[in-house]
Amino acid sequence: MGREVMQPVELPDEPGEGAGPDASAPGAPIAPAATGRRGRRRYWTLGVTTTIAVALLGAQGVIDARERANLARLAAVPGVLAPVDASIGVLWSTTDWLTVYSLAGGAFRDLSIGAYIDDEGTRGARAVRTRTGEVVWSTVLSVAIPPVRPRGVHSAPACSVDDDAESPQVVCLVSDAARLDNADGTVTPVPATFARLVVLEPSTGEKVAQHSEPLSSALSLSLLDGLAVVASRSDAGHLVVVGQDPLSGDESWRFESSDPLAPALPDAWSQDASGLDVAVVCDHIAVTASGGEVWVLSSTGDVVNHVGPGHRTGVEILRGDQIAVVDYGSSTSISRTMRIVMGDGSLGAAYDQLPVPLQVDDGSAPDLLFTMSDRLVAWDMTTGKVAWSSDVSVSASSLLLDGRLYVRTSGGHLYAIDARSGETLWVVPLTSGPDSSVATDGRSILASETSPTDPDRLVAFATDDGRRLWEAPLPPSVTFVWPFGRQLIGATEDGRETFVLG
């Protein structure tokens, strides 16, 4: 705010100090000294009032600026919804799940870009205008050849939006490898007949580059430092991981294991037909194989950690900057043990716990891992010991926002818990509904409630004390509500129609 210029203000006269009884009489002269004192007093009062007003306005401006900055920061956090208020309604609806899947893809400007596989086995990518449902472009990456394999055994392409590149691009790895689920519970991998890396222009979906990849490539594509990280098996059965330029296909680095991969374990599990799973976090690459082997590589392909074959293993993302190598079946309690991949690539302490799924993780309380069983537990990953535990029982995905955990329980309550201490900051009752999800747009905590007579409603709770800010009825046909990408979506009870709310 600019400097205030003090202006003369005419105020009613008051008797001056020491003035006689007749000093204020009509026509009586006023002593110059008294006049000066009154004038100075009036100017001084006006100056103080203006200063206070300026200070208050300035303080409020600082608070507003901080709030805007915090909301802008949260808007970039995965899972945080676009702003939602009491006027919430249906933005658009569709019966096409391929369009809905795009909402969980990468973001580019006002587009959501995701991959799909249709009923015939055609694989592609499409961009949907998030707030209107308009399909801006749809690009076929591979047609179904042959189109006779059963539905559900194929994987959709893996696509990532690289918005940090000099020229933004969509990088997709597409293959027709499949997993055939047998009646006895076993899985038969179906070898690929093709595998390719395809680069698309995000505004138009135009193909700008395409390169063949090994037929044994894992479909869990990752990007690191602008390079596409692709894992495969060599002809001799060795693990091969390369970091390549998506546009040119040139390799920047290459890792190959010294020994062949171990045979797949009888109970091996992988969502990828290759039997390989790849994840990138904290500038490290973690690869697990169906024989139980684990590699942690640096961003240039150097081995940081290696575990030999053994139990079933896999990679799970615990938090936005935390992954774990999970040993399935080695624990007598919940049949899993996980080891955290630390920031230096080493494998940290082991935990026989299920991690709390975080719908939103803004990175606060970075040294803590939250797990759930009959209790909510926070682990200090620098020591491997329990930081705190709570009697709260988590029943669904939770939110980590500004150092607080927001948890909805099966008992019908919404809790706000201090992520550092485990202290319950507030708790409010909720009417149980068919779903138990919670969501946030950064300004409030959102949850759905049912009503025996009225339509289900969406309720917004204040983050600081849990008070109800507003509630709004949901469309009568909506039975389930959950966050998907940056949107809140609802679905009918039979799941045939999806509504994007906002």
Side-chain angles (χ1 to χ4, degrees):
M1 177 174 296
R3 177 177 297 176
E4 296 290 337
V5 179
M6 190 174 297
Q7 300 291 342
V9 175
E10 183 176 351
L11 299 175
D13 287 338
E14 298 175 1
E17 293 180 9
D22 296 330
S24 59
I30 300 176
T35 304
R37 285 195 299 271
R38 285 201 300 272
R40 286 193 297 272
R41 185 184 305 120
R42 291 166 191 158
Y43 280 117
W44 180 85
T45 302
L46 178 59
V48 170
T49 303
T50 304
T51 301
I52 293 174
V54 169
L56 291 175
L57 289 172
Q60 186 61 48
V62 171
I63 293 172
D64 291 344
R66 288 176 178 172
E67 183 177 355
R68 288 193 300 270
N70 190 48
L71 289 176
R73 175 186 66 85
L74 292 176
V77 175
V80 173
L81 304 176
V84 179
D85 56 37
S87 64
I88 185 170
V90 176
L91 297 177
W92 53 277
S93 64
T94 182
T95 57
D96 181 12
W97 272 97
L98 302 185
T99 298
V100 176
Y101 287 153
S102 298
L103 297 179
F108 177 73
R109 297 174 183 165
D110 64 337
L111 303 179
S112 294
I113 302 174
Y116 68 85
I117 178 171
D118 66 16
D119 292 349
E120 284 71 40
T122 298
R123 297 164 178 81
R126 65 174 49 176
V128 175
R129 210 169 299 282
T130 309
R131 303 293 285 180
T132 66
E134 174 194 359
V135 178
V136 177
W137 56 260
S138 187
T139 301
V140 172
L141 301 177
S142 72
V143 296
I145 302 175
V148 293
R149 293 179 178 177
R151 180 187 178 191
V153 302
H154 300 277
S155 296
C159 293
S160 297
V161 178
D162 188 359
D163 204 8
D164 295 329
E166 185 175 340
S167 297
Q169 55 193 6
V170 182
V171 184
C172 299
L173 183 59
V174 57
S175 162
D176 65 346
R179 296 170 66 251
L180 181 61
D181 297 320
N182 303 316
D184 61 359
T186 60
V187 175
T188 301
V190 181
T193 62
F194 72 87
R196 63 178 70 103
L197 194 70
V198 183
V199 181
L200 307 176
E201 203 286 323
S203 298
T204 64
E206 177 188 0
K207 292 181 182 179
V208 295
Q210 181 171 295
H211 315 284
S212 294
E213 297 294 337
L215 298 182
S216 60
S217 295
L219 273 176
S220 47
L221 171 73
S222 294
L223 298 177
L224 179 60
D225 295 337
L227 300 178
V229 179
V230 180
S232 63
R233 297 171 186 261
S234 70
D235 292 340
H238 296 241
L239 171 68
V240 177
V241 185
V242 299
Q244 60 181 288
D245 183 284
L247 289 173
S248 66
D250 296 337
E251 290 185 6
S252 178
W253 55 261
R254 180 184 183 91
F255 163 79
E256 184 168 350
S257 62
S258 56
D259 298 317
L261 291 165
L265 296 170
D267 56 354
W269 175 88
S270 173
Q271 291 182 322
D272 202 303
S274 68
L276 302 173
D277 288 291
V278 185
V280 170
V281 72
C282 290
D283 295 328
H284 286 86
I285 304 153
V287 183
T288 62
S290 55
E293 294 154 290
V294 179
W295 287 264
V296 179
L297 308 177
S298 72
S299 59
T300 55
D302 298 316
V303 177
V304 177
N305 216 298
H306 176 235
V307 177
H311 295 283
R312 295 181 302 154
T313 55
V315 171
E316 293 184 5
I317 298 177
L318 306 179
R319 294 186 57 181
D321 58 352
Q322 295 173 9
I323 59 175
V325 174
V326 181
D327 186 344
Y328 303 96
S330 63
S331 169
T332 58
S333 56
I334 59 173
S335 300
R336 55 178 283 145
T337 298
M338 59 184 179
R339 287 190 176 275
I340 312 300
V341 179
M342 307 301 287
D344 60 358
S346 62
L347 297 178
Y351 303 89
D352 291 341
Q353 298 283 331
L354 288 171
V356 174
L358 294 174
Q359 173 66 32
V360 170
D361 181 357
D362 70 347
S364 53
D367 298 330
L368 296 181
L369 170 68
F370 307 99
T371 64
M372 59 184 184
S373 51
D374 57 334
R375 296 168 63 85
L376 174 62
V377 179
W379 301 83
D380 185 335
M381 290 188 300
T382 61
T383 64
K385 298 180 179 180
V386 174
W388 55 261
S389 64
S390 169
D391 291 333
V392 175
S393 178
V394 181
S395 63
S397 59
S398 304
L399 312 172
L400 179 58
L401 202 65
D402 291 328
R404 294 182 175 190
L405 274 174
Y406 298 95
V407 175
R408 186 169 183 172
T409 69
S410 57
H413 290 86
L414 177 63
Y415 283 83
I417 298 172
D418 188 305
R420 282 295 183 188
S421 66
E423 175 190 0
T424 296
L425 302 174
W426 54 259
V427 56
V428 294
L430 282 173
T431 304
S432 298
D435 66 78
S436 56
S437 61
V438 288
T440 183
D441 62 354
R443 303 178 302 173
S444 60
I445 307 301
L446 304 165
S448 61
E449 284 189 321
T450 58
S451 170
T453 56
D454 300 320
D456 293 351
R457 58 186 176 268
L458 185 71
V459 184
F461 298 90
T463 57
D464 55 352
D465 58 8
R467 69 189 184 281
R468 291 188 173 226
L469 298 175
W470 53 262
E471 58 182 62
L474 293 169
S477 51
V478 170
T479 302
F480 304 97
V481 178
W482 68 97
F484 202 66
R486 287 205 69 214
Q487 300 302 131
L488 193 67
I489 68 172
T492 55
E493 188 170 6
D494 58 12
R496 293 183 179 178
E497 187 170 13
T498 302
F499 304 86
V500 177
L501 308 175

